[in-house]
Amino acid sequence: MIRLFDTHHSRISTELEGLWEFSPVDTIGERPIEFPFKLPVPGCWESHPHFGTYRGKAVYRRVISVSSQTHIRLEFKGVSHTAHVYFDGEFVKTHYNAYTSFEVIIPNAIAGEHEILVYVDNSFSEASALHFPNDYYTYGGLIRPVVLEEISDLYIENIMFTPLRQANQWNGRWKVMIRNISQSPQQVQVIGELAGIKSILGSCEVGSGGQAELIQTVSYPNVLEWSLDHPSLYQLQTKLITNEQLVDDLVDRIGFREINISNGQLLLNGHKLKLKGVNRHEDHPMVGCSFPLSLMVRDLDLIEEMGCNAVRTSHYPYDERFLDLCDERGIVIWEENHARGLSLEQMRNPNFAWQSEQVTREMVEQHFNHPSIIVWAILNECASNTEEGKVHYAKQLTIIRELDPSRPRSFASHHRDQELCFDLAEIVSFNLYPGWYTDEKPEELALEAIQWANKLGGADKPIIMSEFGADGFYGFRSNNREKGSEERQADILRNCLNAYQASTDICGMFIWQFSDCRVTEGEGWLLTRSCTRNSKGLVDEYRRPKLAYDVVSSIYKSEDKK
Ligand code: ADA
């Protein structure tokens, strides 16, 4: 399943789900003598007993066939972490980063069979500035769905829809990106259908091998708003018409909602919103990071059962199907680019800037239409306490602002009173672990954090406690309530939640974290992760609830969902 709805009614689109031939390789591009394995796609190679800890290179093979000559579009929703795609033996595209999708266009593929080879590399080196030994696991494989499509000379590359509430009337700003893969310029008319209203968004010429962008605002009276309690969704369809023929279409889903900031509070459609959230890694011992819909649903059921109304996609862009589920359930999302804890030294990697800016751009462009996403964020706990680091924060936050002026921006900082970047974002966010990494009292630390925000460029901005929590080893019960026991984890979370819920200056919180997760086996501080796992989950890795789960549930449910 690609999305929770069909994204095309006319474009021929097929998911290449199933078993692909597979072989480890030593070098990218080398053709193995044989493909001794068949691995499920989407999937992680770590789910196969031979590759549970494999870190290196491998190749997936799939043969497709097309009934007549056509242009082919392949979309890879996620390859971890670097993909090198070959079509009929020719290299066609590479892509870095596991958590955003990319497309491959093959013009004029002849009728018959064709071979797809995808070389995948999940090794760590200077070539990878964002995937490195860390407090989560970088898996290997075609971790998210692969789509095969047959497209015309002209096709819709993307549609970005911004709902605008003006004088109590909803409008919608369409931005349609069209690409022409033929060798001659083409005229095209663009139709937009939404909420029973069919609009001619405009006509334009698209140069040969080029692209065109069409922007149009349309009024939508009498639509229902998207809110946490009533998450009303609408399908929008974009059509391309050439010579009175339908040549392409693209369907997406949107919600009419507006997220604003006023007097240090978050407002959803003008109503104050307090985020009762949880951080979540896409990680599970049975599937690694390659979640089937059923396990996404199970996680969200447990998250909603806890009384949460928000999820932070720590620390990378999510699988779109999870975002679709949140759109449907009225769960709001803080989505962030891919980064966890880069030092200034790591940000000096020559690959950092382009890799980090690329995933930022891809995140916003690809997930733009999800009404559940209310905050775009970047660079969790990176070097925002340095002038050199601030240059990157400013660049990436500007990229987001230019792509999407409709959503507030943030980043999670652990630099306390050394933070230099609060002036760059609309929301100030703190990762603090009172009771676990420090013996501070959460109510006192919260007051200090508010002072840091006021002093360091965050005055009058909403404040979010983006991380707090404690390890609790599932099954370690103790009347001594020592650190690591489920009792102590529950105590620490109770104290934090009571302190943060009581503060009128704190507009939201995200507990670290929903479930225990696998981490990279490494040296230094990573050795503190017993069982090579981060055990701060409210449930363990098999989603078995710890004592803290019920404590959080009783507190989060004590207030209504808003
Ligand atoms: C940091 C980091 C998280 C996790 C957490 C912890 O705040 O952002 O990814 O590593 O610490 O468990 O210590």
Side-chain angles (χ1 to χ4, degrees), residues 135 281 315 340 380-381 431 433 437 467 512 525 529 534 536:
D135 206 21
H281 268 298
H315 298 291
R340 185 210 163 274
N380 175 75
E381 294 195 359
N431 289 355
Y433 285 82
Y437 288 126
E467 286 183 36
W512 187 270
W525 65 271
R529 298 296 188 238
N534 182 306
K536 295 188 181 69

Side-chain angles (χ1 to χ4, degrees), residues 300-355:
L300 261 177
D301 287 345
L302 289 170
I303 288 167
E304 278 199 290
E305 195 55 36
M306 234 186 326
C308 293
N309 63 8
V311 174
R312 176 177 177 230
T313 70
S314 52
H315 298 291
Y316 35 76
Y318 260 24
D319 185 311
E320 271 218 274
R321 292 166 294 172
F322 191 94
L323 303 176
D324 284 343
L325 288 168
C326 291
D327 293 341
E328 291 181 354
R329 294 177 180 225
I331 299 272
V332 290
I333 293 279
W334 152 320
E335 186 161 64
E336 61 185 28
N337 73 1
H338 175 210
R340 185 210 163 274
L342 279 82
S343 65
L344 181 58
E345 194 53 40
Q346 289 172 308
M347 292 174 77
R348 285 175 173 154
N349 177 328
N351 294 303
F352 167 76
W354 74 265
Q355 290 179 344

Side-chain angles (χ1 to χ4, degrees), residues 387-445:
E387 290 301 340
E388 194 176 333
K390 184 164 188 172
V391 171
H392 291 289
Y393 276 72
K395 177 93 180 281
Q396 294 185 23
L397 289 169
T398 301
I399 287 172
I400 292 175
R401 175 53 70 247
E402 287 169 350
L403 286 170
D404 182 4
S406 75
R407 291 178 172 99
R409 304 161 298 169
S410 191
F411 60 90
S413 167
H414 65 319
H415 294 301
R416 294 174 172 240
D417 61 351
Q418 301 302 305
E419 181 52 59
L420 294 182
C421 294
F422 284 151
D423 59 313
L424 300 175
E426 288 74 44
I427 296 173
V428 169
S429 301
F430 292 101
N431 289 355
L432 298 165
Y433 285 82
W436 182 253
Y437 288 126
T438 67
D439 286 339
E440 295 150 307
K441 295 190 185 322
E443 57 275 20
E444 293 168 6
L445 189 55

